[in-house]
Amino acid sequence: MSTSIVLPDQQTAKLPQRSFLNSEYGLKSWLLTLDHKRIAILYLFSTVFFFTIGGTAAALIRLNLLTPGGELVAADTYNKLFSIHGIIMVFFFLVPIAPAVLGNFLIPLMIGAKDVAFPRLNLLSWYLFITGGCIELYAIIWGGMDTGWTFTTPLSTHYVNTHVIGAAMGIFVAGFSSILTGLNFIVTIHRLRTPGMTWFRLPLFIWSYYATSIIFVLATPVIAIALALIVLERTIGIGVFDPAKGGDPLLFQHLFWFYSHPAVYVMILPGMGVISEVVACFSRKRVFGYTAVAFSSVAIAVFSFFVWAHHMFIMGISNYSALVFSLMTMLVAVPSAIKIFNWSATMYKGAVSFDTPMLYTFSFIGLFTIGGLTGVMLASLGMDIHLTETYFIVAHFHYVMVGGMVSAFMAGLHFWWPKISGRMYPEAMGRLAASVLFIGFNLTFFPQFIVGYLGMPRRYHSYPPEFQVLNVLSTAGASILAIGYLLPMVYLTWSLKFGKIAGANPWRAPGLEWQVQSPPLTENFPEMPVVDFEAYDFEWVDNHFENEVQTVG
């Protein structure tokens, strides 16, 4: 005997007559919208646009590294390419993609609110993001920058003549978008929860996004100050980082990494929230150790502010400081490990199904675990001194950020796509794309662990011939990875017109967002919901959908 879910509205194939997508028409209705769901879609298109630019730069980098001499582009152009790739991918894709898209769309729905606390501020945050992106595009089009995404001083303040000021100001303006988004989410979660939605009835998604918002608000002003100081030093020579004027170039490293390491968790914490929802749904079980997973998100946010100097082990900090930061870096692995173990325990003896969101979740757990374990290796002083500034760092960072965050975002996008669009995507194509992305990613970046351990420096235009085989493997993997990214763009777009009607709750998932129509109304809920059940109450869900289950065989 086996059971399958038959949703009646998939047979009638009719979308709701009124939803947030068709409540208004015209470009003006989108550009001036105050609806958090429409703003999320604006962010989705914006971040995918920037991802395309950053991905194109990455493709050119990999093509240049096919041969040891780097014949595709000149060395100066290569420096600009990896700078463009890093700046665009970090500040205009990885940092905003999950909070601004999934967070904006889902947080009010998950807590029973009609919108975020400050809808106009929410729209302003998107315009600030677009303004910062336009400034960045100006810097790229009119010559680019060649400092790398880290803007290391005194290189960025004295020794390059490219568009450093434009690049820094683009990030500076976009940073205010992050601050406003984080502030909006914190107030929304505190003040707009529906009756009965206590802190320990919140979905773990909300806990993760709350922790992310704290980092947004506390850390982003630091990078804004650091970049503003670079601009002032280049324009009027204030001397904050110039030793000849009493400045300290190491100060910039402290300011930059005080933001940029928490930013790693800005990128990964939202993904962890997505994984908690998907694992629970497709295992049909409450997340094992709900309280531990919730507090581990807060612990990661707190610890993230105390580990920045592990990026500076070779920069001249004291041995005592290096030992302290080495220990703290190892400790921050503990709350991340709690999540991995608890997700595994949730799946143990669960009714695990291998739908597309779950395949992306398996990809996240595997790739993030590799990235995390190599991070613990790099926390060790002896290993870090050998491996810093090699391709080992590139592989580690991408296993966490791209393998982890992008896999988690894809899991979330597929999981909530029926809610966003009201349509289902072709499941076979989804599974194929998840498999291609996993294979392509490992073929791209695992060889970089090896070539980095052997001593190949990152950011070099050319390299010794003995490293060519591993670089060719990496470039071949990048082409497969590109297919893994393009496939979802194709079939998700196709599904908007030809996909099956999803219904309100195609996954039989718990949570308030699944109790409203797909796509939701502009006001989300026709009347205020009251929560009288615990988070991840699958018994209630299964009883609610009992009449939609038919026995087969």
Side-chain angles (χ1 to χ4, degrees):
M1 301 286 287
S2 61
T3 60
S4 63
I5 304 301
V6 176
L7 300 178
D9 52 353
Q10 284 192 357
Q11 309 300 323
T12 57
K14 286 187 178 180
L15 285 169
Q17 289 185 348
R18 186 170 67 91
S19 72
F20 81 95
L21 289 173
N22 61 17
S23 60
E24 293 181 276
Y25 292 97
L27 184 62
K28 182 179 177 181
S29 71
W30 282 88
L31 294 180
L32 299 179
T33 183
L34 299 180
D35 183 358
H36 66 99
K37 300 178 291 299
R38 285 196 167 202
I39 292 171
I41 291 175
L42 291 175
Y43 267 115
L44 177 62
F45 283 109
S46 306
T47 49
V48 168
F49 170 75
F50 286 111
F51 174 81
T52 304
I53 296 173
T56 302
L60 293 172
I61 292 169
R62 289 310 326 162
L63 289 172
N64 186 78
L65 294 174
L66 271 175
T67 56
E71 286 100 9
L72 181 65
V73 296
D76 287 346
T77 303
Y78 183 81
N79 291 346
K80 293 176 181 179
L81 283 173
F82 70 68
S83 301
I84 292 167
H85 171 69
I87 290 170
I88 292 294
M89 284 300 205
V90 170
F91 296 107
F92 294 92
F93 176 70
L94 288 171
V95 167
I97 182 70
V101 177
L102 296 179
N104 254 320
F105 194 95
L106 293 166
I107 286 175
L109 286 166
M110 284 185 164
I111 66 173
K114 292 185 179 296
D115 209 314
V116 294
F118 307 115
R120 287 179 174 81
L121 209 63
N122 199 18
L123 181 62
L124 175 62
S125 70
W126 179 73
Y127 275 106
L128 287 170
F129 175 75
I130 291 299
T131 302
C134 290
I135 296 171
E136 206 68 43
L137 290 176
Y138 160 80
I140 292 170
I141 293 169
W142 293 100
M145 70 298 296
D146 55 0
T147 61
W149 74 278
T150 54
F151 292 92
T152 303
T153 56
L155 177 68
S156 61
T157 53
H158 290 82
Y159 297 110
V160 296
N161 296 314
T162 51
H163 289 270
V164 176
I165 293 176
M169 290 308 298
I171 298 167
F172 179 85
V173 173
F176 284 96
S177 170
S178 297
I179 294 169
L180 295 182
T181 298
L183 177 66
N184 220 338
F185 288 173
I186 290 171
V187 177
T188 300
I189 294 168
H190 271 279
R191 304 295 299 168
L192 299 186
R193 301 194 310 276
T194 196
M197 181 62 80
T198 62
W199 280 97
F200 291 100
R201 285 178 174 174
L202 287 172
L204 290 167
F205 181 96
I206 300 295
W207 279 94
S208 290
Y209 278 68
Y210 184 77
T212 302
S213 300
I214 292 172
I215 299 175
F216 267 151
V217 172
L218 296 181
T220 309
V222 179
I223 187 70
I225 291 168
L227 293 174
L229 289 173
I230 280 184
V231 172
L232 291 174
E233 187 139 328
R234 286 183 67 91
T235 53
I236 62 175
I238 59 173
V240 175
F241 307 125
D242 184 359
K245 298 179 180 179
D248 182 4
L250 203 60
L251 173 61
F252 176 78
Q253 295 298 314
H254 284 288
L255 293 173
F256 182 87
W257 291 114
F258 184 81
Y259 162 80
S260 294
H261 197 81
V264 169
Y265 297 104
V266 162
M267 302 175 212
I268 206 67
L269 269 171
M272 291 174 166
V274 169
I275 298 304
S276 294
E277 301 301 312
V278 175
V279 165
C281 179
F282 292 97
S283 301
R284 312 304 301 167
K285 285 174 63 181
R286 178 179 168 88
V287 175
F288 180 84
Y290 169 96
T291 305
V293 176
F295 281 123
S296 69
S297 295
V298 179
I300 287 172
V302 172
F303 273 119
S304 72
F305 287 98
F306 297 97
V307 296
W308 77 88
H310 71 221
H311 296 275
M312 302 170 61
F313 287 160
I314 64 169
M315 294 182 185
I317 63 173
S318 71
N319 290 334
Y320 177 78
S321 296
L323 286 172
V324 170
F325 280 100
S326 175
L327 176 62
M328 293 298 294
T329 303
M330 292 182 183
L331 288 177
V332 79
V334 174
S336 298
I338 288 171
K339 291 182 181 291
I340 297 292
F341 287 126
N342 285 29
W343 292 329
S344 301
T346 304
M347 290 185 279
Y348 180 66
K349 292 188 176 180
V352 178
S353 57
F354 295 89
D355 295 274
T356 300
M358 198 61 175
L359 291 184
Y360 280 113
T361 294
F362 286 133
S363 177
F364 169 91
I365 292 173
L367 299 177
F368 177 74
T369 300
I370 294 172
L373 290 173
T374 53
V376 174
M377 292 169 60
L378 292 168
S380 172
L381 288 170
M383 289 290 289
D384 186 82
I385 290 169
H386 171 66
L387 296 172
T388 291
E389 301 301 333
T390 71
Y391 262 88
F392 194 96
I393 300 292
V394 176
H396 156 71
F397 183 81
H398 283 81
Y399 263 86
V400 175
M401 291 298 95
V402 181
M405 180 56 233
V406 175
S407 293
F409 176 75
M410 296 300 287
L413 186 64
H414 284 78
F415 184 53
W416 283 291
W417 186 255
K419 184 58 59 180
I420 294 170
S421 67
R423 302 265 185 182
M424 299 299 294
Y425 52 83
E427 181 63 29
M429 290 296 293
R431 293 179 182 180
L432 174 64
S435 303
V436 170
L437 186 143
F438 182 78
I439 293 168
F441 180 87
N442 281 289
L443 186 57
T444 302
F445 292 105
F446 197 83
Q448 295 180 18
F449 278 130
I450 302 171
V451 77
Y453 183 79
L454 293 174
M456 179 176 168
R458 60 177 177 167
R459 298 183 173 181
Y460 273 38
H461 173 255
S462 57
Y463 57 87
E466 57 264 32
F467 297 143
Q468 184 173 13
V469 171
L470 290 168
N471 275 288
V472 169
L473 277 175
S474 190
T475 300
S479 63
I480 298 172
L481 185 60
I483 295 171
Y485 290 138
L486 288 172
L487 278 174
M489 293 184 187
V490 172
Y491 64 71
L492 290 178
T493 303
W494 175 90
S495 73
L496 292 174
K497 184 172 179 63
F498 301 105
K500 292 181 179 178
I501 304 301
N505 194 351
W507 309 120
R508 287 196 299 140
L512 290 180
E513 78 271 25
W514 299 108
Q515 309 310 314
V516 297
Q517 68 177 47
S518 301
L521 296 167
T522 300
E523 62 272 22
N524 292 340
F525 299 92
E527 56 187 42
M528 180 178 289
V530 177
V531 177
D532 56 0
F533 51 87
E534 299 301 314
Y536 310 109
D537 188 348
F538 285 96
E539 184 177 351
W540 181 88
V541 173
D542 290 339
N543 290 338
H544 185 72
F545 283 91
E546 190 176 29
N547 62 334
E548 296 180 5
V549 178
Q550 70 176 16
T551 302
V552 181

